[in-house]
Amino acid sequence: MNINLFSNTVFVGLSFMLSGTIATVKANEAPFAIAIHGGAGAIQQSKMTPSLRTTYEAKLNEAVAKGYQLLSQGKSSQQAVIAAIQILEASPLFNAGKGAVYTFDEEHELDASIMNGKTLNAGAVSGVKTVKSPIALAEKVMEESVHVMLSGEGAELFAKNKGLPLVDNSYFNTEHRYKALLKAKKKLSEKEQELKNFQAAHQSLPTEFKVGTVGAVALDKAGNLTAGTSTGGMTAKRFGRVGDAPIIGAGTYANNNSCAVSATGHGEYFIRYHVAADICARVQYQNIPLAKAADIVINDVLVKAGGSGGVIAIDAQGNITMPFNSEGMYRASMSSNGQSFVGIFHNE
Ligand code: ASP
C-alpha cells in the first residue's frame, strides 16, 4: 500500500502552506489529488542519514503542498503539475534543472514533457542546455506551437522567442553531480577497455548512475488529469542520448479516460515497453484498477525485462499508486480525501 494517513511531516507542511484548509474540503466537493516523484535513483538505504532524509522530505513536502494548494483553490491539474515540478527543478537535490547530472562531455542536457488528459495535447523538449525550467518550455511547446517535441538549439530558440528565462549551462552545475560523473567515467574507461564498446560499458554502470528524474501527476476539481516529467537523464550520457522523460507514452502520459503517469528509471526500457501509456491502456481496456495495472507493468513486465525504476500514477477518481522496483523512489502525495504520504524506500 503506497498511501498512509497523514504522516506528521506532511501534515505540518500542509498546515503551514494551507493554513489548515485541508479541513475545509467539503464532503460533496469533487475529489482532487496530486502525486510527485524525485526519481528512482534513490541513495542506498544504508547511506541514508536522518538529516538527509529530513532534507529530501522537506523539499518533497514543499512541492506536493504547493500543487495541492493550487488544486484546492480550483486551479487546473496542469498548473499544479508545473508548480510542483518547478520547485523540484530549482532544487539541487534532484536530477532535473539545477542538480541535473553531467553528460560525458561535462555539460547538462535536459529533457521534459507534459500531457493534458482532457485535450490529449502534449509538449516535450529534449537536449536543451540553457532553459532554466525545461518543464515550462514543454508547456509552451504544448500550448503555443503546432508540434509535440522540439529538440536542442531549435527548442532553445523557441524558448528565447517565448521569453522564457535562459541561463548559462553552468547554472546547472553541482559538486556532487560532478563527482558522480568523474566516478562514472572511471568505471566506464575500465569497462570500455574490457568490452571494447562504449554502449556496452555504459550499460554495465551501476543503477545509481542511470536513474533520477522529477515528475508530477494530478487530478483537479474539474476532473482533468495532467502528467509531467523533467530530467537531466543519465550520468555520462553521450551522442545526444534522449531518455524516456520527453517521450509521450513512455515517461509521461495522461488521458482523462484512464490515468496520468510520470515515470522514472532506466529510460531505454521505459521507451521500449511504452510504460506510461501501457499502464493507462490496461486501465482503459482491461478495466482493472490503476494500482493493479501499474504493479503489473513495474513489478512484472519491467522486472522480467531487466528495467529498473518506477512510476507515480493517478486515475480520474483520484486513486494514487506509486510502485517501483528499485531500492527507493523519492515520492509524495496529497489527496482531498485526507490521505497523504511522503517516503523514499519500500514499506514506508
Ligand atoms: N528516465 C530517465 C532517463 O532515462 C532517468 C530517470 O528517471 O531516472 O533519462
Side-chain angles (χ1 to χ4, degrees):
M1 184 67 188
N2 281 314
I3 297 177
N4 298 340
L5 282 176
F6 292 105
S7 78
N8 286 339
T9 40
V10 169
F11 190 71
V12 169
L14 189 65
S15 313
F16 171 73
M17 293 294 295
L18 306 179
S19 312
T21 50
I22 195 160
T24 68
V25 173
K26 298 175 198 81
N28 60 355
E29 196 170 47
F32 56 94
I34 180 164
I36 63 168
H37 70 79
I43 189 166
Q44 288 160 353
Q45 197 156 5
S46 57
K47 293 188 187 154
M48 178 59 75
T49 63
S51 82
L52 205 51
R53 177 183 275 275
T54 305
T55 307
Y56 275 107
E57 290 189 349
K59 193 48 79 176
L60 291 168
N61 279 333
E62 182 190 335
V64 80
K66 179 68 192 177
Y68 186 85
Q69 180 188 35
L70 294 174
L71 294 170
S72 73
Q73 292 167 348
K75 301 271 172 29
S76 70
S77 52
Q78 190 177 314
Q79 287 169 300
V81 161
I82 293 283
I85 290 181
Q86 285 190 316
I87 288 173
L88 301 174
E89 281 183 337
S91 165
L93 292 173
F94 305 102
N95 176 16
K98 179 87 188 156
V101 297
Y102 285 78
T103 64
F104 190 86
D105 297 326
E106 309 201 350
E107 286 188 315
H108 309 275
E109 291 175 359
L110 311 173
D111 301 333
S113 68
I114 186 160
M115 185 163 185
N116 183 309
K118 180 185 178 192
T119 60
L120 300 195
N121 205 354
V125 294
S126 68
V128 294
K129 298 181 183 179
T130 60
V131 179
K132 190 171 183 190
S133 170
I135 195 68
L137 180 56
E139 187 185 37
K140 283 277 180 218
V141 172
M142 174 167 87
E143 305 244 287
E144 298 180 28
S145 86
V146 293
H147 307 297
V148 169
M149 186 189 280
L150 299 180
S151 69
E153 286 175 12
E156 284 167 356
L157 181 60
F158 181 76
K160 192 173 166 210
N161 289 348
K162 294 293 170 190
L164 289 184
L166 300 179
V167 291
D168 190 85
N169 194 250
S170 61
Y171 161 82
F172 303 108
N173 288 357
T174 51
E175 203 186 320
H176 67 291
R177 297 291 186 207
Y178 190 63
K179 283 189 183 148
L181 174 71
L182 297 182
K183 225 165 122 184
K185 274 183 152 178
K186 189 164 175 282
K187 284 186 191 295
L188 275 173
S189 88
E190 286 160 11
K191 271 283 169 194
E192 212 178 341
Q193 279 180 15
E194 182 190 324
L195 302 171
K196 308 269 179 268
N197 179 316
F198 176 81
Q199 299 300 335
H202 203 282
Q203 184 74 8
S204 73
L205 272 183
T207 309
E208 64 188 275
F209 295 107
K210 294 193 184 130
V211 286
T213 282
V214 308
V217 294
L219 168 72
D220 60 31
K221 287 184 188 175
N224 293 319
L225 296 169
T226 299
T229 312
S230 179
T231 190
M234 278 183 181
T235 302
K237 64 185 180 181
R238 233 176 153 182
F239 313 118
R241 181 261 183 191
V242 175
D244 60 313
I247 310 287
I248 298 302
T252 302
Y253 192 75
N255 185 332
N256 281 1
N257 288 338
S258 51
C259 63
V261 177
S262 170
T264 171
H266 192 159
E268 280 67 12
Y269 290 87
F270 282 70
I271 295 172
R272 289 164 50 214
Y273 287 83
H274 212 222
V275 166
D278 186 19
I279 292 170
C280 293
R282 286 170 193 263
V283 169
Q284 187 169 355
Y285 303 125
Q286 296 185 329
N287 204 19
I288 58 175
L290 176 68
K292 188 169 177 200
D295 182 55
I296 291 169
V297 174
I298 297 300
N299 289 314
D300 185 28
V301 177
L302 273 188
V303 167
K304 282 180 185 146
S308 113
V311 294
I312 51 169
I314 187 169
D315 67 16
Q317 289 72 49
N319 297 303
I320 289 173
T321 188
M322 303 189 278
F324 54 100
N325 62 34
S326 44
E327 184 166 354
M329 182 172 84
Y330 300 104
R331 62 205 189 280
S333 67
M334 208 171 269
S335 164
S336 62
N337 69 8
Q339 291 185 315
S340 62
F341 173 86
V342 62
I344 302 170
F345 301 105
H346 288 278
N347 304 320
E348 294 191 334

